[in-house]
Amino acid sequence: MQFVVSYRAGSRRLAVGLTLTTALVSGGPALAAGEFIDLGWIPGEVRSSEAYGVNGTGTIAVGTSVDAAAHSQAVRWDANGDLILLGTLGGRSSYATGVSLDGRRIVGTALNAADEYRAFLWTEGTGIRDIGTLGGSFSQGLGISADGGRVVGESANGVEARQPFLFIDGATTGVAGNIEMFALGLTPGGLTGSAQAISRNGSFATGYVWGQHDGQATIWALDGVEGGSSPVTGIGTLGGIHAEGLGISNDGRIVAGLSYDGNNDYRAFRWVDGEGMSDLGTLGGSEARAFALSADGSVVVGSAHDEDEINQAFRWTEATQMQSVSDWLAAAGVDMTDLNLTSAAGVSDTGDVVVGTMRSPEGDDLAYLARVSGEHAGVVDMAAYTSTLYQAGQIAYAGQHLSWTPMTGAHHRSLMDYPVGGNGGVCGWSMGDVARYSSGGRDGTIGLVEAGICGDFADNQVRAGLGLGTSHGRQALPLGGSAALDGRYVVGEIDYRPSDTDFILSLTGIYGAWSANFARAYANGAGVDLSSGSTDVQTALVRAKAEWRDAATLGATSFTPWGSFTLGTTHTGAFIETGGGFPAQFNAQTQTAIEGRLGVTATTALGTETTLKTTFEAVHRFDSTGGAVSGSVPGAFAFDLPATAHGQTWVRAGLDVDQKLGQNAVLSVSLHGATMGQDGDISGALGLHAGF
């Protein structure tokens, strides 16, 4: 029995990290992966964290991170890597091992104030909750059903023996003292046991039972447990002293796991009701472990030693028998040069998508997703691939920039600031504007041309104008991707200068519509794939501005303080990518932007016909996040990535030179530069305003 304790201690990370936390489910396919990279850790000197579970959409990860006191703490990360402590049950440490498909329920184990390990269920509304024991001093939560209502694991009973349990949230007929927890039976001769995994529908569990000297894999039928029935079936071993079930089909007829063979080597097995347990072989080495199977049990995945006794991810079917995931992908034309897939931890219901862990050339363990489905084949590092999905948000950002550029460039001054028109006459303008975005990882350019007509009314107290423009935006994305937008916009402005005052109040609005072509690049195997799509973008924004003309003077220079407030919204239509190994389908998204500016403009006459204006302004973006990105990779998984942090404050400075052309025309040249923010790093405009 001492051997068993040693084995369990040595395999806990393997079983928890790879088996209990990975699932791809049907009915809206969703991905979860057993390990994340670079999710961060609790701040402190000890930099250590591990992810043991991911929700069905891949947006919430759970696991453990070491705090400054060197104690493990259960944590949850969102898709941005933001870390939330789940807490403990009064003790020093805790760890989370599984998460429901919606990410709102988390199972794990924590120390209580008496230094006893207890299974916990964490929910968004109530936080961490001790789900108790079967009457003993400890319990461990190991698996959770898709809806989060059922938890399996192991617990000490009244005589401190390990016993498998099923916890049903809200049940009333459980054991004495814990009406939500049910003891699962043992096979004849069994002394201890553990429920390691639960089927996605919560109807079956698998694990193991130990007797005096040996143990075997087992199956429990769970649907009748509240009525007092939970039949247990022992399914044996491969000839050795122990076996464990680690994955089970929805109908409970097929189990995959690991077992000792007669030589005391671990081997992957697949058990089929009526046929028994079969050894799935190896990849040329001595050992193999099966961690998961497809919904119908026809595909099994896991890790096996190759001829050099190095772990390799495998995929098994009746037709192909055991083959490495790398060979499976290579046969579909994927370049697998220098990629080492060490484990396959989960498989989709259909068996054509595999997730697991790969070892990078730098020695890092990374989560990957691989598939061979129809015309799509490949393997991606999930952390890196998921980050590229955020690139779809760049379409909306580019749309914002296309409407903001004329507002902050060609129209950074009110129409009434140009000395044309008057006497109830008509005026007009034509201009061009360019902006370059290159800081903060951006690489984009915008260009526009515009023309409009205006007029003065109400004894020259009001100037109103309407213009049309065409604009183009180009955004370079990582690995050779790009976003290109082309379209038109309309701009309207009305200025009001009360009689005998130095104040100008203006309201400016822009509405634009653009067609967008999007090419997203991502690593696929050792190469780079490109998936492309097209959509439409509409943007509307309105700005209110107030300025106090020539509020102060210093020598030949007058100063005009001003402030503005802008509200804008950008809508990007849904679209479907084509090409590449992992094209995605993106849902429509809407982003709202709120911005305030405070500035001062210094005006200096350089001669009778030439004026220099120097502007300094501070800008704050009030909306704290950008738009969320959601959709799916058809045939693989769904994603719902939360909005990214977006609030910023930056400064901008510019020069305008006005050159009068005759009595009623002004040629203006402007140049602006900004620190990193939502304005172009550098922008310029050339405009002609004239009165008729």
Side-chain angles (χ1 to χ4, degrees):
M1 207 55 191
Q2 179 62 38
F3 173 79
V4 179
V5 174
S6 175
Y7 161 72
R8 296 304 306 158
S11 67
R12 172 58 56 198
R13 178 174 298 177
L14 183 65
V16 171
L18 296 180
T19 305
L20 302 178
T21 64
T22 303
L24 282 164
V25 300
S26 60
L31 168 71
E35 186 145 0
F36 267 53
I37 195 72
D38 290 338
L39 284 179
W41 44 76
I42 299 171
E45 294 182 2
V46 182
R47 297 186 173 188
S48 176
S49 62
E50 294 186 46
Y52 293 150
V54 178
N55 74 326
T57 59
T59 58
I60 304 294
V62 299
T64 182
S65 182
V66 178
D67 63 18
H71 297 145
S72 294
Q73 301 292 321
V75 294
R76 184 181 78 161
W77 295 273
D78 64 19
N80 297 320
D82 294 333
L83 181 149
I84 298 174
L85 291 174
L86 302 184
T88 71
L89 297 172
R92 300 183 306 274
S93 62
S94 59
Y95 60 91
T97 53
V99 57
S100 63
L101 293 183
D102 63 8
R104 296 180 179 179
R105 289 175 166 250
I106 297 170
V107 65
T109 305
L111 282 172
N112 63 16
D115 233 21
E116 298 167 333
Y117 281 105
R118 295 295 179 88
F120 72 75
L121 179 65
W122 179 95
T123 66
E124 283 187 341
T126 62
I128 192 169
R129 168 192 173 194
D130 184 345
I131 63 175
T133 73
L134 293 171
S137 61
F138 78 90
S139 59
Q140 286 184 290
L142 299 176
I144 191 168
S145 61
D147 64 4
R150 293 189 168 198
V151 169
V152 296
E154 61 185 47
S155 170
N157 57 24
V159 294
E160 293 299 319
R162 291 175 183 264
Q163 189 165 358
F165 75 78
L166 170 68
F167 172 88
I168 302 178
D169 193 16
T172 59
T173 58
V175 299
N178 192 349
I179 59 175
E180 295 177 294
M181 186 174 285
F182 299 83
L184 300 180
L186 305 177
T187 53
L191 300 176
T192 65
S194 177
Q196 294 281 294
I198 188 169
S199 62
R200 295 157 189 167
N201 60 12
S203 294
F204 300 93
T206 187
Y208 69 88
V209 170
W210 262 95
Q212 186 68 35
H213 302 292
D214 55 15
Q216 63 175 322
T218 51
I219 298 173
W220 291 272
L222 304 177
D223 285 344
V225 70
E226 291 184 87
S229 174
S230 58
V232 57
T233 302
I235 60 177
T237 74
L238 291 173
I241 63 171
H242 183 63
E244 293 190 14
L246 297 175
I248 188 167
S249 61
N250 258 354
D251 62 8
R253 293 189 61 254
I254 302 176
V255 171
L258 54 91
S259 172
Y260 278 114
D261 64 10
N263 297 320
N264 283 329
D265 289 324
Y266 273 114
R267 305 300 285 261
F269 76 79
R270 178 174 178 265
W271 176 90
V272 180
D273 187 22
E275 300 178 17
M277 186 179 292
S278 58
D279 187 336
L280 299 184
T282 71
L283 294 174
S286 60
E287 294 188 347
R289 295 168 170 84
F291 297 131
L293 41 70
S294 58
D296 63 3
S298 63
V299 179
V300 180
V301 299
S303 178
H305 288 181
D306 62 16
E307 59 273 11
D308 297 320
E309 299 296 338
I310 296 174
N311 281 330
Q312 301 289 339
F314 77 76
R315 180 180 184 272
W316 178 97
T317 68
E318 288 275 10
T320 64
Q321 297 299 294
M322 185 179 289
Q323 68 176 152
S324 70
V325 175
S326 293
D327 287 345
W328 176 58
L329 292 165
V334 181
D335 183 359
M336 299 301 295
T337 304
D338 296 330
L339 292 181
N340 180 20
L341 310 186
T342 57
S343 176
V347 62
S348 66
D349 282 350
T350 57
D352 54 9
V353 178
V354 175
V355 294
T357 302
M358 60 187 282
R359 180 65 56 83
S360 73
E362 295 76 26
D364 296 321
D365 287 329
L366 308 172
Y368 72 82
L369 179 145
R371 72 167 168 176
V372 176
S373 176
E375 64 184 33
H376 304 302
V379 57
V380 291
D381 164 10
M382 277 308 302
Y385 179 83
T386 301
S387 69
T388 71
L389 297 172
Y390 271 114
Q391 294 176 16
Q394 292 297 325
I395 300 176
Y397 292 140
Q400 285 185 6
H401 293 327
L402 280 168
S403 55
W404 236 270
T405 296
M407 189 72 84
T408 60
H411 291 272
H412 72 282
R413 294 162 60 182
S414 61
L415 289 175
M416 200 172 272
D417 191 45
Y418 295 94
V420 297
N423 300 317
V426 177
C427 56
W429 74 86
S430 62
M431 61 184 64
D433 206 340
V434 294
R436 171 72 176 169
Y437 297 82
S438 59
S439 63
R442 302 174 299 177
D443 185 9
T445 57
I446 288 175
L448 63 91
V449 292
E450 177 191 310
I453 189 170
C454 56
D456 292 333
F457 308 94
D459 296 327
N460 299 328
Q461 294 182 80
V462 175
R463 177 171 291 179
L466 183 67
L468 296 174
T470 179
S471 59
H472 314 274
R474 300 294 182 265
Q475 177 74 48
L477 301 175
L479 299 177
S482 64
L485 284 78
D486 299 276
R488 295 173 177 82
Y489 65 90
V490 59
V491 55
E493 180 177 330
I494 183 167
D495 301 338
Y496 173 58
R497 183 173 184 173
S499 178
D500 300 323
T501 72
D502 294 320
F503 294 98
I504 296 178
L505 306 176
S506 64
L507 192 67
T508 307
I510 291 179
Y511 173 80
W514 296 270
S515 61
N517 294 302
F518 176 64
R520 181 174 59 92
Y522 50 88
N524 183 0
V528 174
D529 266 6
L530 202 66
S531 295
S532 304
S534 299
T535 188
D536 296 320
V537 180
Q538 295 87 37
T539 296
L541 69 157
V542 60
R543 179 187 69 192
K545 184 177 181 180
E547 52 188 297
W548 184 3
R549 295 290 303 274
D550 304 328
T553 59
L554 181 62
T557 301
S558 64
F559 297 90
T560 299
W562 55 268
S564 68
F565 184 84
T566 306
L567 172 65
T569 182
T570 301
H571 178 79
T572 303
F575 66 98
I576 301 174
E577 295 177 330
T578 59
F582 295 87
Q585 177 175 319
F586 292 93
N587 298 329
Q589 59 173 306
T590 299
Q591 295 187 20
T592 299
I594 305 172
E595 181 184 278
R597 295 174 183 254
L598 291 175
V600 61
T601 300
T603 303
T604 305
L606 300 181
T608 57
E609 307 294 330
T610 307
T611 303
L612 172 67
K613 292 178 177 288
T614 305
T615 300
F616 297 94
E617 57 190 294
V619 194
H620 180 70
R621 192 72 174 265
F622 290 94
D623 49 309
S624 60
T625 60
V629 178
S630 64
S632 65
V633 179
F637 63 95
F639 56 88
D640 187 3
L641 306 178
T644 55
H646 201 56
Q648 287 180 301
T649 300
W650 65 97
V651 296
R652 186 171 182 252
L655 298 174
D656 286 65
V657 176
D658 289 353
Q659 179 64 47
K660 294 192 68 173
L661 303 176
Q663 287 296 109
N664 215 18
V666 176
L667 178 67
S668 299
V669 179
S670 68
L671 181 67
H672 285 83
T675 59
M676 190 176 70
Q678 299 306 308
D679 286 329
D681 298 88
I682 187 168
S683 59
L686 176 66
L688 176 65
H689 289 71
F692 306 103

